[in-house]
């Protein structure tokens, strides 16, 4: 990566550019506004300021990135277990562990490599070329060669190549949604801004790098390039922001440390006790290290990875692409969803929602509206259909064109009979647009614009019975009501002219108008978003709207979606800026709607919630969302309208841009976490049973019940296939009717550690009972009996723990066919090592008699029925009362 030259600016600090007059800006930057910079000066400034490019953050090389995957504590434990397994001489176990280690390293490497593309995506937003004025002539240069002081010409369709102070504009509109979250293109002006701390969206005399000119033209002077631009500041935030570990990563890391220490301590005790009893040192050493290998569930990372991968594959079919596998599980722990409004909760397209016609406020359009009003909507309009039928133009005019077309007033047809003769274009001072048409031999002027500006020029109100007195106060009150509902309000009027004026000006045309009506426009909510919000609340998840739009618009959308009730508080970016972090954290959990926020404030919101112990999902689509997506516990980007930056910084991408898809992902995340918990419960209970069996035998006066080969065999056949089969276990009843698990909750909560201890002790107890029974009856097959009881008890256990509450008999044996198949396979393998002669010397087993086999089957079934009783007691609330209470009937919808 090329190192950027050290910046030595000609002035000690940059002024607040939006407060300066054009002449002050050109004087500060020492440039002639008529000729621009000369080539030599531009070259010197390029050397001083560096290229106009977004810097890529320094990255680790592929080798370091790959080796870094082995720094996780659980992986280190597995490596040690692999070494121990190799010393014992069990080649199969060693290979299995090695495969698991390498597989996890490869998956982690791929995920991290893809995450490194986030800042590179920011770089791709840069405009490749720019039109500049240098030495009095227009030149096309590479955008990265722009320097402060360059005069840049903008036209519709151009990507703004650097941060500009606008010197001259002609109906220039800029789409800034990717930077500010504003859903509508912003009309720019050269007017002076008086507020020092005005948000970016309100700085109408500025244009920012990475935004897009959608209409008109303009000339601006470059005031910042590269990393000094607003886009560059976001890139710097993204470089500084560290990713948050998922709950699964946190829990497994803590679990691995504690488990390793516990296993080492237990193995040391068993080794010492064996030596004290006079057992051979070599046998005790092999037994201790074999138990260490068996007690550490090396299949856990593989099961977690496979479980998450299956969930990710399922979600792709449901339009949710998982970029980082642990993010699937994170969704199950999310307590707050901080969602961008534009394009996420709304459709990102304007729509005419309400009308004020003939002194009444009406929702939607109807074909009985005044014909002049419908004609005005269609004719006073620059939107047009392309050859492929797509509407092109300003989003507001597209919405007006569509609503007129919906009742039969098609602009492209009307214009044939009423051709446009002339127009007075819209400007920010008049806030009006007027078009002149020839209709049936008469001249008609149609005007639309801000209600107060139109009413000021009206003298009558249109009615079917002829012009009526104009009720200005009632009309303005209706406009205020519509604005309070979050609508952008336009007024329409018309006038018939006796003859075409020689000069088209406002004094001769935009006077003595007849008022036709008001129209209120809004970027409407997605139809499915309201139901999705309701489902989030049912699942105990709090939805929060964060937007760059006007507070009234944000409140109206939030009320429609059910995020808040009427009269809710909307916290604005300026209010948030005036609050200390301590003050904000006291209120953050009660605020549901934020408006006019800046990118760094989104991060502040996310982190304040995290400081309160919440787990945050952040949805977004723009460049401004990328740092917050990275800071959140899980970032969710839009796949269709989202920027590359947002997608690369996210953990999950919604392929259909549908907020409701998040609910599907939450359901899948909860199912996956449940299944990972089931595997941990299963593996740790079985491993604890092996420990109890070996630990208690000496204290009961019994010889060592299992040989190292027995321990490793049980570990191989019971932890593998049955554990993986738990990954496809269907969701439990009422999974979306329970609250999210507390983020700080241990993975062993809800009675899990008690289950591991006492069921493990029971499993070890029945195994030792079989050994005692064989001793009393004089059977020589006691070691094979203990071996069989312990192995088959674990199969009964895995069938019973498929649900924490529901009985296997109500679930059905065939509802998880892979698990049933793995249990039958394990049973067959166990019978093979007992009765196949060639395997008996390898596994040091003896064929059991029929009575001995039946006893083993009976004893191994004890665990299954005891766990079923435990679940029955849980359903009645007799044990583990602090556990989740899913709905008792029917699966959640």
């Amino acid at each position: 990566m090329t190192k950027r030259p050290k910046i030595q600016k000609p002035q000690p600090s940059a002024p607040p550019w939006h407060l300066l007059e054009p002449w002050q800006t050109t004087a500060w930057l020492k440039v002639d506004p008529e000729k621009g910079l000369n080539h030599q000066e531009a070259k010197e400034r390029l050397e001083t300021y560096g290229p106009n490019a977004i810097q890529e953050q320094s990255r680790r090389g592929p080798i370091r990135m790959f080796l870094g995957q082995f720094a996780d504590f659980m992986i280190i434990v597995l490596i040690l277990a692999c070494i121990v397994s190799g010393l014992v001489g069990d080649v199969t176990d060693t290979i299995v562990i090695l495969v698991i280690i390498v597989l996890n390293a490869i998956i982690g490497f791929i995920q991290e490599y893809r995450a490194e593309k986030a800042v590179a995506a920011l770089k791709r937003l840069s405009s490749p070329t720019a039109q500049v004025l240098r030495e009095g002539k227009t030149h096309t240069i590479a955008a990265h060669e722009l320097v402060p002081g360059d005069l840049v010409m903008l036209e519709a369709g151009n990507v703004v190549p650097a941060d500009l102070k606008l010197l001259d504009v002609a109906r220039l509109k800029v789409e800034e949604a990717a930077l500010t979250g504003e859903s509508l293109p912003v009309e720019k002006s050269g007017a002076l801004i008086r507020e020092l701390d005005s948000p970016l969206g309100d700085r109408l005399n500025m244009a920012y790098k990475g935004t897009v000119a959608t209409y008109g033209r303009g000339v601006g002077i470059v005031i910042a390039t590269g990393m000094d631009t607003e886009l560059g500041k976001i890139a710097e935030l993204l470089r500084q922001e560290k990713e948050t570990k998922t709950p699964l990563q946190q829990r497994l890391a803590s679990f691995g440390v504690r488990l390793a220490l516990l296993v080492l301590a237990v193995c040391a005790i068993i080794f010492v006790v064996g030596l004290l009893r006079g057992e051979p040192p070599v046998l005790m050493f092999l037994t201790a290290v074999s138990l260490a290998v068996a007690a550490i569930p090396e299949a856990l990372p593989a099961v977690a990875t496979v479980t998450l991968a299956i969930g990710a594959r399922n979600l792709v079919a449901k339009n949710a692409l998982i970029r980082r596998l642990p993010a699937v599980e994170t969704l199950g722990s999310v307590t707050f969803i901080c969602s961008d409004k534009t394009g996420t909760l709304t459709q990102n397209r304007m729509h005419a929602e309400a009308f004020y016609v003939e002194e009444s406020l009406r929702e939607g359009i109807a074909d009985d509206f005044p014909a002049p009003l419908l004609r005005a909507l269609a004719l006073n309009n620059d939107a047009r259909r392309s050859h492929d039928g797509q509407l092109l133009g300003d989003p507001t005019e597209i919405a007006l064109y569509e609503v007129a077309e919906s009742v039969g007033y098609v602009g492209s047809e009307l214009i044939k009979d009423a051709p446009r003769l002339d127009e007075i274009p819209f400007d920010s001072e008049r806030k009006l647009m007027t078009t002149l048409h020839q209709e049936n031999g008469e001249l008609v002027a149609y005007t639309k614009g801000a209600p107060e500006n139109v009413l000021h020029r009206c003298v009558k109100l249109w009615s079917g019975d002829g012009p009526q007195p104009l009720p200005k106060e009632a009309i303005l009150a209706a406009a205020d009501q519509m604005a309070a509902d979050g609508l952008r309000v336009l007024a329409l009027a018309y006038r018939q002219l006796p003859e075409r004026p020689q000069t088209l000006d406002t004094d001769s045309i935009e006077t003595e108008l007849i008022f036709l009506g008001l129209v209120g426009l809004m970027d409407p909510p997605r139809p499915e978003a309201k139901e999705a919000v309701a489902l989030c609340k049912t699942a105990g998840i709090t939805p929060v709207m964060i937007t760059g739009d006007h507070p009234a618009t944000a409140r109206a959308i939030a009320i429609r979606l059910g995020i808040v009730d009427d009269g809710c508080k909307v916290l604005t970016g300026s209010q948030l800026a005036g609050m200390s972090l301590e003050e904000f954290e006291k209120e953050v959990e009660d605020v549901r709607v934020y408006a006019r926020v800046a990118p760094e404030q989104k991060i502040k919101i996310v982190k304040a919630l995290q400081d309160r112990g919440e787990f945050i999902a952040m949805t977004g689509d723009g460049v401004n969302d990328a740092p917050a997506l990275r800071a959140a516990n899980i970032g969710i980007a839009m796949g269709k309208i989202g920027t590359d930056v947002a997608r690369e910084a996210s953990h999950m991408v919604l392929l259909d841009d549908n907020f409701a898809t998040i609910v599907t992902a939450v359901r899948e995340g909860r199912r996956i976490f449940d299944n990972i918990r089931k595997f941990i419960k299963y593996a740790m209970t079985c491993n604890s049973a092996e420990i109890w069996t070996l630990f208690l035998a000496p204290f009961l006066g019994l010889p060592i019940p299992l040989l190292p080969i027995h321990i490793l065999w049980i570990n191989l056949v019971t932890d593998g296939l049955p554990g993986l089969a738990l990954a496809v276990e269907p969701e439990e009843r009422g999974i979306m009717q329970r609250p999210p698990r507390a983020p700080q909750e241990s993975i062993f909560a809800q009675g899990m550690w008690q289950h591991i201890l006492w069921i493990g002790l029971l499993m070890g107890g029945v195994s030792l009972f079989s050994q005692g029974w064989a001793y009393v009856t004089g059977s020589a097959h006691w070691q094979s009996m203990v071996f069989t009881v312990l192995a088959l008890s674990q199969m009964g256990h895995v069938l019973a723990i498929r649900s924490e509450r529901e009985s296997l008999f109500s679930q059905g044996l065939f509802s998880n066919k892979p698990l049933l198949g793995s249990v039958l396979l394990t049973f067959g393998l166990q019978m093979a090592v007992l009765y196949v002669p060639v395997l008996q010397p390898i596994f040091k087993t003896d064929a059991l008699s029929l009575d001995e086999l039946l006893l083993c089957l009976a004893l191994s079934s004890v665990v299954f029925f005891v766990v079923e009783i435990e679940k029955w007691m849980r359903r009645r609330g007799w044990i583990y009362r602090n556990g989740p209470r899913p709905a008792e009937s029917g699966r959640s919808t």
Side-chain angles (χ1 to χ4, degrees):
M1 183 181 70
T2 302
K3 186 175 180 181
R4 179 179 175 181
K6 184 177 180 181
I7 295 176
Q8 296 178 346
K9 297 183 179 180
Q11 299 295 338
S13 62
W17 300 105
H18 59 285
L19 301 183
L20 301 185
E21 296 280 5
W23 68 267
Q24 293 174 309
T25 306
T26 55
W28 183 281
L29 292 170
K30 300 179 180 179
V31 59
D32 184 345
E34 301 297 328
K35 295 183 179 181
L37 297 172
N38 61 56
H39 293 301
Q40 181 60 33
E41 175 68 17
K43 182 178 179 180
E44 292 174 359
R45 293 192 183 192
L46 184 61
E47 293 177 355
T48 301
Y49 288 89
N52 176 35
I54 301 297
Q55 287 182 327
E56 294 186 23
Q57 67 185 94
S58 58
R59 303 177 184 178
R60 293 187 298 168
I63 295 177
R64 285 186 59 199
M65 195 181 298
F66 181 75
L67 293 178
Q69 306 305 316
F70 298 94
D72 183 77
F73 183 83
M74 193 67 179
I75 299 300
I76 294 174
V77 171
L78 292 183
I79 293 173
L80 294 176
C82 181
I83 295 172
V84 171
S85 181
L87 293 174
V88 173
D90 188 78
V91 179
T92 303
D93 223 48
T94 303
I95 293 174
V96 169
I97 297 173
L98 277 175
V99 169
I100 291 168
I101 292 172
V102 174
L103 178 63
N104 277 275
I106 291 173
I107 293 174
F109 169 76
I110 292 173
Q111 292 171 357
E112 186 171 345
Y113 182 79
R114 293 181 65 187
E116 288 290 336
K117 295 180 180 178
V119 175
L122 273 169
K123 194 173 182 179
R124 290 197 297 271
L125 280 180
S126 302
S127 176
T129 61
Q131 297 286 328
V132 299
L133 182 67
R134 287 183 179 176
E135 297 184 348
K137 296 180 181 180
T138 302
H139 300 272
T140 300
I141 66 171
H144 68 265
E145 295 179 0
L146 285 173
V147 296
D150 262 327
L151 298 177
V152 176
M153 271 76 67
L154 290 178
E155 294 181 355
N158 291 160
V159 175
V160 179
D163 283 4
L164 308 177
K165 170 66 185 296
L166 297 172
L167 305 180
D168 182 35
V169 296
R171 303 180 67 188
L172 177 65
K173 294 184 180 181
V174 178
E175 171 62 65
E176 297 182 333
L179 187 66
T180 67
E182 183 71 53
S183 58
L184 292 172
V186 178
E187 184 177 357
K188 296 297 183 176
S189 72
L192 196 64
I193 305 298
R194 300 292 182 182
E195 297 179 8
L196 176 63
D197 297 325
S198 59
L200 296 182
D202 292 343
R203 298 180 185 181
L204 302 181
N205 58 6
M206 304 288 294
Y208 297 102
K209 181 179 176 69
T211 60
V212 181
T214 61
Y215 195 82
R217 56 184 176 82
V219 177
I221 183 170
V222 176
I223 53 94
T225 59
M227 297 300 289
D228 294 327
T229 63
E230 294 299 327
L231 187 66
K233 293 174 184 177
I234 293 176
E236 186 63 31
L237 289 174
L238 198 59
R239 287 155 52 93
Q240 297 172 356
E241 199 59 51
K242 295 182 178 179
E243 268 194 273
T244 308
K245 281 193 173 183
T246 70
L248 180 63
Q249 291 169 326
Q250 296 171 9
R251 288 162 176 153
L252 289 186
S254 175
F255 169 65
V257 173
R258 296 177 184 179
L259 176 62
L261 296 176
L262 177 63
V263 168
L264 291 175
V266 171
C267 290
I269 293 172
I270 291 176
F271 177 74
V272 172
V273 171
L275 291 180
L276 294 176
R277 294 184 69 236
E279 299 285 353
V282 175
L283 175 63
M284 289 312 304
F285 174 74
L286 291 176
T287 301
V289 295
S290 298
L291 183 60
V293 173
I296 297 174
E298 67 272 5
L300 177 57
V303 169
T305 300
V306 170
T307 304
L308 294 172
I310 292 173
R313 184 187 63 190
N314 293 340
L315 285 173
V316 167
K318 299 173 183 176
N319 294 311
L321 174 64
I322 302 300
R323 298 189 63 252
R324 297 170 177 84
L325 287 182
V328 182
E329 176 271 336
T330 309
L331 283 163
S333 298
V334 163
T335 57
F336 271 72
I337 296 179
C338 296
S339 174
D340 184 52
K341 177 187 75 68
T342 305
T344 307
L345 292 167
T346 64
Q347 300 175 25
N348 199 25
R349 56 185 296 271
M350 297 300 290
H351 182 262
E353 299 274 317
F355 293 84
Y356 179 80
V357 180
E358 297 181 302
E359 300 187 68
S360 65
L361 192 60
R362 300 172 64 172
E363 291 187 8
I365 199 166
D367 53 13
D368 63 346
F369 277 19
L373 172 63
L374 300 177
R375 294 179 68 85
L377 292 172
L379 292 172
N380 186 277
N381 199 313
D382 289 331
R384 290 292 179 267
R385 288 200 179 275
S386 63
H387 295 297
D388 59 1
Q390 183 180 3
L391 269 175
L392 304 176
D394 180 87
T396 297
E397 296 203 326
I398 289 175
L400 298 178
Y401 189 99
E402 286 180 325
V403 75
E405 189 177 58
S406 68
V407 289
Y409 285 75
V410 182
S412 59
E413 298 296 328
L414 293 176
I415 200 73
K416 296 176 182 178
D417 298 324
R420 183 184 296 188
L421 303 179
D422 213 333
E423 69 176 283
I424 305 177
F426 181 89
D427 67 60
S428 57
E429 294 183 6
R430 291 170 37 255
K431 295 184 179 180
L432 300 174
M433 173 184 176
T434 298
T435 57
L436 183 64
H437 299 265
Q438 182 80 41
E439 292 187 21
N440 300 322
E442 297 181 343
L443 290 172
V444 180
Y446 293 108
T447 299
K448 74 168 181 279
E452 58 275 14
N453 294 48
V454 173
L455 280 172
H456 178 69
R457 300 166 186 269
C458 291
V459 293
K460 295 290 183 179
L461 171 73
W462 185 94
S463 76
D465 299 326
Q468 302 293 326
L470 185 68
K472 285 189 177 182
E473 293 185 1
I475 295 172
L476 288 174
D480 291 340
Q481 180 182 341
M482 295 168 75
D485 290 337
L487 300 176
R488 182 189 181 193
V489 186
L490 294 176
L492 294 108
Y494 85 112
R495 178 188 178 188
Q496 291 182 329
L497 300 172
E499 60 182 13
R500 184 172 181 176
Q502 294 182 349
T503 58
L504 196 69
D505 57 60
T506 59
D507 293 333
S508 61
I509 301 296
E510 294 175 343
T511 58
E512 299 182 3
L513 301 176
I514 298 176
F515 182 79
L516 295 173
L518 301 174
V519 56
L521 301 106
M522 177 182 280
D523 179 11
R526 290 178 174 270
E528 65 281 355
K530 184 173 183 178
E531 181 181 358
V533 167
L535 284 175
C536 283
K537 291 185 173 182
T538 300
I541 300 170
T542 303
V544 174
M545 178 190 291
I546 303 176
T547 179
D549 268 351
H550 190 278
T553 303
R555 178 186 287 108
I557 293 292
I559 291 173
R560 289 193 183 197
L561 290 172
I563 293 176
V564 295
D565 298 325
D566 198 2
C568 73
K569 177 182 178 181
V570 176
L571 192 65
T572 65
S574 57
Q575 292 171 332
L576 181 57
M579 300 173 68
S580 67
L581 183 60
E582 292 75 16
E583 293 173 335
F584 179 49
E585 287 185 356
K586 293 178 182 178
E587 296 187 26
V588 66
E589 290 182 299
D590 297 322
V591 180
R592 301 290 180 267
V593 183
Y594 297 87
R596 292 293 195 205
V597 296
E600 60 272 16
Q601 291 177 322
K602 292 188 175 185
I603 300 176
K604 183 178 180 180
I605 294 167
V606 170
K607 289 195 170 183
L609 285 168
Q610 290 174 332
D611 289 344
R612 299 290 295 177
E614 306 292 349
F615 262 81
I616 312 303
M618 170 69 188
T619 69
D621 56 5
V623 175
N624 61 312
D625 295 321
L629 291 176
R630 179 67 66 86
N633 298 95
I634 175 168
I636 307 172
M638 302 296 107
K640 287 185 176 180
I641 63 172
T643 60
D644 286 343
V645 182
R647 285 191 286 268
E648 292 294 335
S650 67
H651 304 81
M652 185 176 86
V653 179
L654 301 183
L655 301 179
D656 58 355
D657 291 2
N658 192 338
F659 185 82
T661 304
I662 299 174
V663 179
T664 301
V666 167
R667 180 195 299 273
E668 187 69 13
R670 292 187 174 189
R671 183 191 70 83
I672 287 171
F673 182 68
D674 284 352
N675 289 350
I676 291 174
R677 263 178 52 94
K678 289 169 188 174
F679 174 76
I680 294 175
K681 177 190 285 190
Y682 164 67
M684 291 308 301
T685 302
C686 296
N687 292 352
S688 69
E690 297 166 22
I691 293 175
W692 284 121
T693 302
L694 290 171
F695 184 77
L696 295 177
F699 295 100
L700 297 176
L702 299 173
I704 297 177
L706 297 171
L707 296 175
I709 189 64
H710 298 153
I711 299 172
L712 295 174
W713 171 257
I714 292 175
N715 183 52
L716 180 64
V717 299
T718 61
D719 278 6
L721 291 177
L724 291 174
L726 284 173
V728 296
E729 182 65 34
E731 67 183 52
E732 295 204 35
R733 294 181 189 270
I735 198 169
M736 292 300 287
Q737 275 73 54
R738 69 189 189 200
R741 295 188 180 275
Q744 67 277 10
E745 179 182 278
S746 167
I747 200 168
F748 293 100
Q750 312 299 344
M752 185 166 144
W753 69 267
Q754 296 97 322
H755 174 98
I756 290 172
L757 285 178
W758 84 274
I759 296 297
L761 182 59
L762 174 65
M763 199 179 297
V766 296
S767 300
L768 291 174
F769 179 84
S770 67
Q771 182 180 8
W773 180 89
Y775 253 52
V776 171
T777 59
S779 172
H781 304 154
W782 58 269
Q783 205 161 51
S784 295
M785 292 182 66
V786 175
F787 180 31
T788 302
V789 170
L790 189 56
L792 297 185
S793 292
Q794 296 183 16
M795 294 302 96
H797 181 246
V798 76
L799 290 173
I801 64 162
R802 285 181 50 198
S803 171
E804 291 192 0
R805 301 172 62 86
E806 192 175 356
S807 169
L808 176 66
F809 302 107
S810 61
Q811 284 182 291
L813 271 173
F814 297 97
S815 56
N816 187 343
K817 293 179 181 178
L819 180 60
L820 179 61
S822 67
V823 169
L824 294 175
L825 177 61
T826 301
F827 179 82
L829 292 173
Q830 184 65 26
M831 293 301 102
V833 300
L834 288 176
Y835 293 105
V836 175
V838 71
L839 297 178
Q840 288 174 342
I842 297 176
F843 290 95
K844 298 178 177 58
T845 57
D846 302 301
L848 301 179
S849 66
L850 180 60
D851 291 341
E852 290 170 339
L853 179 60
L854 291 176
L855 177 63
C856 290
L857 294 175
L859 289 175
S860 61
S861 65
V862 169
V863 172
F864 170 80
F865 289 107
V866 169
V867 175
E868 284 292 324
I869 294 172
E870 179 192 51
K871 292 191 293 184
W872 177 77
M873 296 174 68
R874 181 191 287 268
R875 290 196 298 272
R876 289 182 170 268
W878 294 352
I879 58 173
Y880 314 138
R881 292 194 176 190
N882 62 329
R885 296 297 186 87
E888 294 295 339
S889 61
R891 291 194 180 274
S892 59
T893 58

